[in-house]
Amino acid sequence: MFKKEIYTERRRRLQRQVKTGLILIMGNTDSPMNYPANTFHFRQDSTFLYFFGIDQPNLAAVIDADNDRQILFGDDFTLNDIIWMGPQEPLADKAAKAGITDTAPTRELFTVIANAIKKGQRIHFTPPYRAENKLLIGELLGINPQRLNEYASTELIHACIALRSIKEDVEIAEMEKQMHTAYKMHTMAMQMAHPGISEQQITGAIEGISMAGGGMVSFPVICSVRGETLHNHYHGNILKKGDLLLVDAGSESPMHYATDHTRTTPVGGLFTQQQREIYNIVLNANNTAREAMKPEIPFRDVHLTAATTIAAGLIDIGLMKGNAAEAVTAGAHALFFPHGLGHMLGLDVHDMEDYNDTLVGYDQEITRSTQFGLAALRLGRRLKAGFVVTNEPGIYFIPALIHNWRNERKHDAFINYEKLDKYLNFGGIRLEDDILITDSGSRILGDRIPILPEEVEAEVQKGPVSFSV
């Protein structure tokens, strides 16, 4: 946990924005894998972590803005619990570390909520995403769990987004420390990228590095020689010479702050000329986008800068034609770059997207596009100093999408379809860094993971490293 003053100040600022009513913040419970006593690794709710910091299941809290009261609800451990789990800190002591003096057993949460409803207090809550909390909140409020999102508090959501978007110095320091683990994960993947190694071996190795470095992976690892599938979680392929291995992976710090990086590596340690050409276009887009990131610049504009850089590079090698800016305006580049440039990063790898990704990424000034590719951009609004965002341009050759567009002659004025046959088995390349927006510009968090083609090749050639069981 951070110092208790951090959490006290966060709740004070929240109360200044949500001035009336009762704010209900649910922690997570243990979730069973296949029977109740065999649970998944516990992960606390990020909103609860942000305002209370207590990393323990079966807790809830209310902030009563009308009566200036804050209560933490939970049950102390029984003797039987202690036999299985060892000595446990009393709830009151944990609450004190978060600056909370008022605690109560879980059963009293029902009484507090019922009394608030009787008094006509508005109950604020964010959209629940786990079934256990959906059922509990539904029972507390008398709302069908399937309709809870209709009753979620937009006022509370906007207040949480406003607070959590700007990372405090302690948060930045926590993320910066975890970048060392991310560096080791990705360089290990490069060193293992040799013929005969399986995707699963690499996945297991880098997940182990994450756990050894402080926490679980921040999302399911993408480790695939079929990088044209954007979120490819299949790990059954054996690497072959000439493959490109795309690894998109992140780690959580001990306090659950996320990293998120992608690197694409030539199996065996040497890019082909064709691979190097595409790789350098993506690298140029990554660097150009980072240079464009500054306070008050819309991230949508940064995305379009990366897209234009990609289009220009593809025009140079003959896969696209015409004017790059016009091609991007028309959306022709999205055949090769069908996703957004990046997203917010923090306690969640897609930070705060449990609230609503459009509310997190857009506002009244900048609204979400409906154009293919651009519609997938999770963050469009103006950057602010203290934002942490990802920068992940990519180029992909997706056979089904290419065939579909070619049959429709879609964007025929900008795409040289006859030249794409030589790329149908290419796969994909994505390069991602984590970026802090500063007062005057931006910087990469942590030491930059090897990214220049010659750096990546040199890292592979330190191997082969093999992990077997």
Side-chain angles (χ1 to χ4, degrees):
M1 293 178 65
F2 297 127
K3 294 180 179 179
K4 67 180 180 180
E5 290 79 10
I6 297 286
Y7 302 105
T8 300
E9 175 62 14
R10 288 173 176 177
R11 295 191 299 270
R12 185 187 69 80
R13 292 171 63 199
L14 181 65
Q15 256 187 264
R16 277 171 38 189
Q17 295 197 44
V18 184
K19 296 182 175 65
T20 61
L22 189 147
I23 301 167
L24 172 64
I25 300 178
M26 302 295 303
N28 280 335
T29 64
D30 279 322
S31 185
M33 293 170 60
N34 51 358
Y35 57 90
N38 190 28
T39 62
F40 288 103
H41 187 87
F42 176 69
R43 174 49 158 90
Q44 184 60 285
D45 173 75
S46 294
T47 304
F48 192 90
L49 281 173
Y50 186 79
F51 290 108
F52 297 93
I54 305 172
D55 197 5
Q56 174 186 314
N58 305 316
L59 299 177
V62 297
I63 300 172
D64 187 340
D66 295 325
N67 299 293
D68 195 22
R69 187 184 181 196
Q70 300 175 1
I71 313 170
L72 180 69
F73 296 89
D75 298 316
D76 277 317
F77 290 92
T78 66
L79 179 59
N80 191 56
D81 294 326
I82 293 170
I83 290 170
W84 287 97
M85 301 166 61
Q88 299 294 314
E89 192 174 22
L91 181 64
D93 290 354
K94 288 192 174 184
K97 292 179 180 179
I100 298 287
T101 58
D102 199 346
T103 64
T106 300
R107 66 178 182 275
E108 291 190 16
L109 177 62
F110 286 85
T111 301
V112 169
I113 296 297
N115 288 338
I117 292 172
K118 286 179 183 177
K119 294 175 185 176
Q121 278 186 291
R122 183 180 176 190
I123 311 296
H124 300 273
F125 62 92
T126 59
Y129 53 89
R130 285 200 180 181
E132 295 90 346
N133 278 344
K134 288 182 178 182
L135 292 172
L136 179 55
I137 295 173
E139 184 180 358
L140 284 168
L141 302 181
I143 298 172
N144 185 322
Q146 295 183 350
R147 298 189 60 196
L148 282 172
N149 283 8
E150 300 173 31
Y151 295 87
S153 170
T154 304
E155 184 180 358
L156 176 59
I157 290 170
H158 282 299
C160 289
I161 291 171
L163 291 172
R164 289 178 57 186
S165 291
I166 307 296
K167 301 301 182 285
E168 299 160 321
D169 289 345
V170 290
E171 296 178 281
I172 294 166
E174 180 74 7
M175 296 177 76
E176 194 99 65
K177 285 188 295 186
Q178 199 63 14
M179 296 298 159
H180 179 64
T181 297
Y183 189 101
K184 291 197 289 186
M185 290 168 67
H186 282 273
T187 52
M188 173 59 73
M190 291 174 187
Q191 292 167 25
M192 293 180 72
H194 287 268
I197 303 294
S198 72
E199 295 166 342
Q200 187 61 50
Q201 285 175 287
I202 297 172
T203 300
I206 63 178
E207 286 187 354
I209 291 170
S210 179
M211 290 297 293
M216 61 186 188
V217 291
S218 51
F219 57 94
V221 170
I222 299 164
C223 175
S224 180
V225 295
R226 301 273 29 112
E228 75 277 9
T229 301
L230 300 184
H231 282 178
N232 195 339
H233 297 299
Y234 175 75
H235 301 143
N237 294 307
I238 305 298
L239 276 58
K240 306 186 304 296
K241 185 175 176 61
D243 284 340
L244 286 172
L245 178 69
L246 189 153
V247 177
D248 189 343
S251 178
E252 283 198 352
S253 79
M255 295 180 67
H256 299 291
Y257 284 85
T259 73
D260 183 9
H261 297 87
T262 307
R263 290 295 185 266
T264 307
T265 302
V267 173
L270 289 174
F271 288 101
T272 67
Q273 182 58 35
Q274 185 190 59
Q275 290 169 347
R276 187 179 290 266
E277 283 182 343
I278 300 299
Y279 189 98
N280 281 329
I281 295 170
V282 178
L283 178 57
N284 189 26
N286 179 290
N287 289 331
T288 301
R290 176 170 48 85
E291 291 165 2
M293 292 185 195
K294 298 175 183 177
E296 299 307 320
I297 299 297
F299 195 72
R300 179 192 58 194
D301 292 357
V302 181
H303 168 89
L304 293 174
T305 295
T308 304
T309 303
I310 286 171
L314 292 173
I315 288 169
D316 287 342
I317 65 172
L319 294 182
M320 293 186 71
K321 55 189 175 181
N323 178 273
E326 291 175 1
V328 169
T329 299
H333 70 287
L335 177 65
F336 308 98
F337 180 30
H339 63 77
L341 178 67
H343 49 79
M344 295 281 233
L345 186 70
L347 278 168
D348 309 306
V349 68
H350 286 180
D351 207 26
M352 303 175 285
E353 287 191 12
D354 58 311
Y355 301 151
N356 179 302
D357 63 347
T358 299
L359 291 179
V360 172
Y362 294 87
D363 53 24
Q364 292 182 338
E365 178 196 9
I366 299 174
T367 58
R368 199 166 201 147
S369 171
T370 58
Q371 185 186 71
F372 176 75
L374 187 55
L377 179 63
R378 287 180 160 93
L379 175 63
R381 63 189 174 111
R382 293 181 185 274
L383 297 168
K384 304 287 184 184
F387 280 19
V388 177
V389 300
T390 63
N391 175 22
E392 52 180 328
I395 292 177
Y396 314 86
F397 296 89
I398 306 169
L401 185 62
I402 291 170
H403 292 320
N404 179 273
W405 280 31
R406 183 188 312 203
N407 289 340
E408 295 180 4
R409 306 309 300 177
K410 192 169 184 178
H411 298 303
D412 206 27
F414 298 109
I415 300 169
N416 282 321
Y417 286 106
E418 64 277 7
K419 294 191 176 183
L420 289 180
D421 287 340
K422 294 180 180 179
Y423 291 82
L424 291 179
N425 292 318
F426 183 94
I429 292 174
R430 180 163 70 249
L431 300 172
E432 179 181 22
D433 295 316
D434 299 342
I435 309 296
L436 171 67
I437 307 304
T438 65
D439 290 334
S440 58
S442 65
R443 68 174 178 87
I444 295 172
L445 285 176
D447 292 333
R448 197 178 197 189
I449 297 165
I451 195 169
L452 297 176
E454 55 271 22
E455 291 176 337
V456 175
E457 290 175 335
E459 202 67 41
V460 179
Q461 291 161 20
K462 292 179 182 178
V465 177
S466 178
F467 277 66
S468 59
V469 293

